[in-house]
Amino acid sequence: MLRVRCLRGGSRGAEAAHLIGAMLGRAVTGWVQRAFQSTSIAAAAQPRHAAEDVTEPEQQECPVCSYNEWDTLEEVIVGRAENAHVPAFTVEVKANTYEKYWPFYQKYGGQSFPADHLKKAVAEIEEMCNILRHEGVNVRRPEPIDWSLEYKTPDFTSSGMYAAMPRDILLVVGNEIIEAPMAWRARFFEYRAYRPLIKEYFRNGAKWTTAPKPTMADELYDQDYPIRTVEDRHKLAAEGKFVTTEHEPCFDAADFIRAGRDLFVQRSQVTNYMGIEWMRRHLAPDYKVHIISFKDPNPMHIDATFNIIGPGLVLSNPDRPCRQIDMFHKAGWTVVKPPTPLIPDDHPLWMSSKWLSMNVLMLGEKRVMVDANESTIQKMFENLGIKTIKVNIRHANSLGGGFHCWTTDVRRRGTLESYFH
């Protein structure tokens, strides 16, 4: 088993200690040479000290380190529902939402989500944070921002949306935080809510990468994307046609899911092949990115379709079967089909499906945060020998995410390993 430990200063891998010495040597060479002449006389005049007075730089743990979805969780970012606004009903939003909710977007686009519903969502997420703290997890939050402000670029005009789903915008791979470029115009400046946190992590040793920001010009979207019926969606998805084009790279971080040295990703309405290729080149050669696909009429974010919950253990949505599932069976993985969600039909899910029931957050290999209302999936986890931490975020679900979506794990207690052969 390969063991890798994150060290402050951005080093990664088993060779980290050696690299730190080499990096320090290169960094100080220049100023040592310049300073040598001015200090040599003074140094010669000083008494010689014993060798034990010379100490090497202390190696400290990096505050960011996470390789998979299930190691023991130590620190997490939890999103905010405060000030959340409904995105304008643009072509990319229409392609990612269900027809039954189109009148809602047409009525509320650019305005706040219904105030009473939002108030309940805020309270639920606060309680979720309290429970995470009780489970020994350090909780961090993005900055509150006024998302109603309109902004204009050379290519489009929009207002903002929210900072509710950090999983959509931030991907942690080892000791690196990757900011996703996103694909919705309403989310163009969403990163601003997370910048104070990311700068803090960077100052304390984490790597920080911002993927190329798309212009989100009209060319990024198929303006004539035909999505009148579910049948349309199935046909288009089967043909590999999506509302986002290959005009420039775009991706949401939530279309990737991690299992050590292997990451799995889907081409979706918000993640194109150029975005996937950028990530593949960026993470090579230490990590391998695998493209997988599903029988899904509206692919957007992988973690309510295919959620890896342990080493060689994955939840696979039975309504959206994975076309490459055989390769997981051949690798010796256990594929579990979660039960049908229990959420009632009349509960609003403006940005997602009922399958948020499987959008769980692993607090460790044997602990999971799960919907308090979903008794059947609780039983499934108990049969797998996994303790359930039951939390109710039913109103928060309406904003487009479950526990996995509402969080980004910053630090997990684990090592870099290979689980997929």
Side-chain angles (χ1 to χ4, degrees), residues 54-75:
V54 180
T55 59
E56 293 186 2
E58 181 183 359
Q59 294 176 357
Q60 296 177 305
E61 299 244 355
C62 181
V64 174
C65 192
S66 181
Y67 297 108
N68 57 49
E69 310 290 341
W70 64 83
D71 281 337
T72 301
L73 185 62
E74 295 183 337
E75 183 159 320

Side-chain angles (χ1 to χ4, degrees), residues 50-290:
E52 57 266 25
D53 289 341
V54 180
T55 59
E56 293 186 2
E58 181 183 359
Q59 294 176 357
Q60 296 177 305
E61 299 244 355
C62 181
V64 174
C65 192
S66 181
Y67 297 108
N68 57 49
E69 310 290 341
W70 64 83
D71 281 337
T72 301
L73 185 62
E74 295 183 337
E75 183 159 320
V76 69
I77 299 173
V78 178
R80 286 189 180 277
E82 290 88 341
N83 306 325
H85 274 60
V86 181
F89 195 49
T90 54
V91 63
E92 73 273 19
V93 173
K94 184 178 181 181
N96 283 277
T97 51
Y98 292 99
E99 188 174 3
K100 64 183 287 189
Y101 294 119
W102 289 353
F104 172 84
Y105 285 94
Q106 290 166 335
K107 179 179 179 179
Y108 291 104
Q111 303 176 50
S112 174
F113 281 92
D116 184 61
H117 200 101
L118 204 56
K119 183 179 179 181
K120 292 175 181 177
V122 169
E124 289 171 350
I125 297 304
E126 288 298 328
E127 179 61 12
M128 173 184 162
C129 291
N130 290 335
I131 293 171
L132 282 167
R133 295 184 186 104
H134 184 264
E135 292 294 321
V137 181
N138 189 36
V139 175
R140 310 300 303 275
R141 308 296 299 278
E143 294 293 306
I145 284 182
D146 182 0
W147 299 106
S148 68
L149 296 178
E150 187 177 88
Y151 48 85
K152 184 176 183 179
T153 79
D155 298 289
F156 68 90
T157 300
S158 182
S159 55
M161 189 167 133
Y162 56 31
M165 311 293 164
R167 187 74 58 177
D168 296 357
I169 191 168
L170 300 177
L171 179 66
V172 173
V173 181
N175 66 346
E176 179 180 13
I177 302 175
I178 300 173
E179 273 184 36
M182 312 302 284
W184 283 16
R185 289 169 170 176
R187 308 188 77 174
F188 189 85
F189 286 110
E190 193 167 316
Y191 67 87
R192 295 179 65 247
Y194 300 94
R195 278 294 172 87
L197 276 177
I198 297 174
K199 288 189 288 186
E200 176 191 323
Y201 290 133
F202 177 72
R203 291 186 181 107
N204 287 307
K207 294 178 70 177
W208 170 19
T209 300
T210 300
K213 196 70 175 173
T215 63
M216 297 190 187
D218 288 347
E219 291 82 359
L220 181 58
Y221 311 103
D222 181 352
Q223 302 292 333
D224 299 316
Y225 191 69
I227 45 174
R228 291 176 295 276
T229 65
V230 173
E231 289 73 22
D232 283 341
R233 293 172 183 265
H234 272 293
K235 181 180 179 182
L236 291 164
E239 294 173 353
K241 295 179 180 178
F242 306 90
V243 71
T244 47
T245 69
E246 298 296 331
H247 175 67
E248 56 190 347
C250 67
F251 65 85
D252 282 11
D255 270 324
F256 292 82
I257 198 156
R258 305 159 303 153
R261 291 195 176 274
D262 295 277
L263 287 83
F264 301 91
V265 62
Q266 65 172 350
R267 202 319 183 178
S268 77
Q269 300 285 21
V270 292
T271 296
N272 64 13
Y273 289 118
M274 286 188 74
I276 294 171
E277 179 61 16
W278 182 90
M279 184 70 85
R280 186 191 67 79
R281 295 184 197 180
H282 178 72
L283 292 176
D286 295 329
Y287 300 88
K288 187 172 182 179
V289 175
H290 308 263

Side-chain angles (χ1 to χ4, degrees), residues 326-339:
D326 284 349
M327 74 179 189
F328 293 93
H329 289 303
K330 290 177 181 177
W333 284 37
T334 300
V335 179
V336 178
K337 295 180 180 180

